[in-house]
């Protein structure tokens, strides 16, 4: 029976993901939010608040869907609709997906929206409302029914994303940037000088008789 021996180099490519999150871990009084920027590694949130309306308070909310949820324990309250004196902007270090965890500041309102713009292009303009069951899902978490709100997301590139809320105040719980960190390539070693017997077993370099080397039969004396 004829046997064919082929040595193949296998390349495996894996795309890994990296996520950076901006969130709050303590209360910040009104008038002090804009005194700092938030974030790291080039992913930074800047607040414009010349009227001292923004603040951070403790409030837990869940975001996601029925399969996966994230919770945050603090929220940024913008204190009113966006103007030249009240707005947010994000510095984006590299292309990826921007996720915004946001709720309306007044659940009875049905027209408050969040607008994301980059390079003069509108990325998303989404109404944030909580008055209907379709605007959230109920998930049992640790034996308790919890409202889980959807995540606003958009594809972004490196640069600045302007965040406005032209109709009314919103509450922002977190901002997340998910990027691809790069392609990792792994190659199997190609055994060009290895030799095998007819059963396909690797044999020593000084073996005698009929062997297979570099895909060819060789008689070694």
């Amino acid at each position: 029976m004829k046997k064919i021996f082929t040595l193949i180099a296998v390349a495996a490519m894996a795309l890994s993901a990296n996520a950076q999150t901006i969130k709050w871990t303590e209360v910040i009084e009104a008038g002090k939010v804009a005194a700092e920027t938030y974030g790291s590694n080039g992913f930074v949130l800047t607040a414009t608040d010349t009227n001292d309306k923004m603040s951070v308070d403790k409030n837990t909310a869940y975001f996601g869907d029925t399969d996966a949820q994230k919770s945050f324990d603090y929220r940024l309250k913008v204190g009113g609709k966006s103007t030249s004196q009240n707005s947010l902007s994000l510095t984006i270090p590299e292309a990826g997906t921007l996720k915004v965890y946001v709720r309306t500041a007044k659940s009875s309102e049905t027209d408050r929206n969040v607008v994301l713009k980059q390079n003069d292009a509108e990325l998303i303009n989404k109404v944030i409302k909580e008055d209907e069951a379709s605007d959230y899902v109920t998930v049992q978490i640790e034996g308790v029914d919890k409202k889980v709100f959807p995540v606003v997301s958009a594809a972004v590139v490196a640069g600045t994303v302007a965040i406005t809320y032209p109709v009314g105040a919103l509450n922002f719980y977190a901002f997340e940037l998910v990027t691809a960190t790069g392609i990792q390539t792994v190659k199997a070693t190609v055994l060009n000088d290895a030799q095998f017997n007819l059963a396909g077993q690797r044999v020593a370099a000084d073996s005698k008789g009929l062997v297979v080397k570099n895909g060819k039969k060789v008689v070694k004396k």
Side-chain angles (χ1 to χ4, degrees), residues 77-96:
K77 301 171 67 177
V78 296
K81 68 179 182 180
S82 57
T83 63
S84 59
Q85 290 80 39
N86 185 309
S87 63
L88 301 170
S89 66
L90 280 168
T91 301
I92 308 295
E94 61 179 302

Side-chain angles (χ1 to χ4, degrees), residues 13-81:
M13 296 171 57
L15 191 63
S16 55
N18 178 52
Q20 299 181 67
T21 304
I22 297 172
K23 62 181 181 179
W24 290 267
T25 57
E26 62 182 4
V27 172
I28 302 176
E29 298 177 0
K32 296 184 179 180
V33 171
E36 299 183 30
T37 55
Y38 307 88
S40 60
N41 298 322
F43 181 46
V44 177
L45 175 72
T46 302
T48 300
D49 181 32
T50 59
N51 293 329
D52 295 341
K53 290 185 175 182
M54 294 185 184
S55 64
V56 175
D57 70 351
K58 188 171 177 60
N59 182 274
T60 300
Y62 291 84
F63 295 86
D65 52 33
T66 55
D67 296 321
Q69 308 84 36
K70 287 186 177 183
S71 65
F72 301 96
D73 294 327
Y74 292 83
R75 62 184 177 182
L76 170 65
K77 301 171 67 177
V78 296
K81 68 179 182 180

Side-chain angles (χ1 to χ4, degrees), residues 3-210:
K3 297 191 178 186
I4 300 175
F5 298 84
T6 306
L7 300 180
I8 303 175
V10 179
M13 296 171 57
L15 191 63
S16 55
N18 178 52
Q20 299 181 67
T21 304
I22 297 172
K23 62 181 181 179
W24 290 267
T25 57
E26 62 182 4
V27 172
I28 302 176
E29 298 177 0
K32 296 184 179 180
V33 171
E36 299 183 30
T37 55
Y38 307 88
S40 60
N41 298 322
F43 181 46
V44 177
L45 175 72
T46 302
T48 300
D49 181 32
T50 59
N51 293 329
D52 295 341
K53 290 185 175 182
M54 294 185 184
S55 64
V56 175
D57 70 351
K58 188 171 177 60
N59 182 274
T60 300
Y62 291 84
F63 295 86
D65 52 33
T66 55
D67 296 321
Q69 308 84 36
K70 287 186 177 183
S71 65
F72 301 96
D73 294 327
Y74 292 83
R75 62 184 177 182
L76 170 65
K77 301 171 67 177
V78 296
K81 68 179 182 180
S82 57
T83 63
S84 59
Q85 290 80 39
N86 185 309
S87 63
L88 301 170
S89 66
L90 280 168
T91 301
I92 308 295
E94 61 179 302
T97 300
L98 175 63
K99 297 183 178 182
V100 182
Y101 300 86
V102 57
R103 291 176 60 186
T104 177
K106 191 173 183 181
S107 60
S108 61
E109 299 295 331
T110 60
D111 59 351
R112 296 188 180 187
N113 61 326
V114 61
V115 180
L116 305 182
K117 287 185 178 181
Q118 188 174 40
N119 298 329
D120 296 324
E122 187 172 273
L123 304 179
I124 197 165
N125 186 335
K126 182 175 176 58
V127 173
I128 307 298
K129 57 191 180 75
E130 301 178 8
D131 66 320
E132 300 174 2
S134 60
D135 299 321
Y136 58 83
V137 295
T138 301
V139 178
Q140 192 169 81
I141 301 174
E142 296 181 351
V144 179
D145 286 342
K146 299 287 187 181
K147 291 181 179 179
V148 177
F149 299 95
V151 181
V152 177
S153 62
V156 295
V157 296
T160 300
V161 173
I163 304 169
T164 57
Y165 25 94
V167 176
L170 300 174
N171 295 328
F172 295 89
Y173 287 75
F175 301 90
E176 183 178 21
L177 179 64
V178 181
T179 61
T181 60
I183 297 177
Q184 299 175 334
T185 303
V186 180
K187 287 187 177 180
T189 302
V190 182
L191 303 175
N192 288 326
D193 295 325
Q195 53 190 33
F196 303 83
N197 61 25
L198 295 183
Q201 300 168 323
R202 187 175 181 180
V203 296
D206 58 356
S207 295
K208 306 298 182 182
L210 185 61

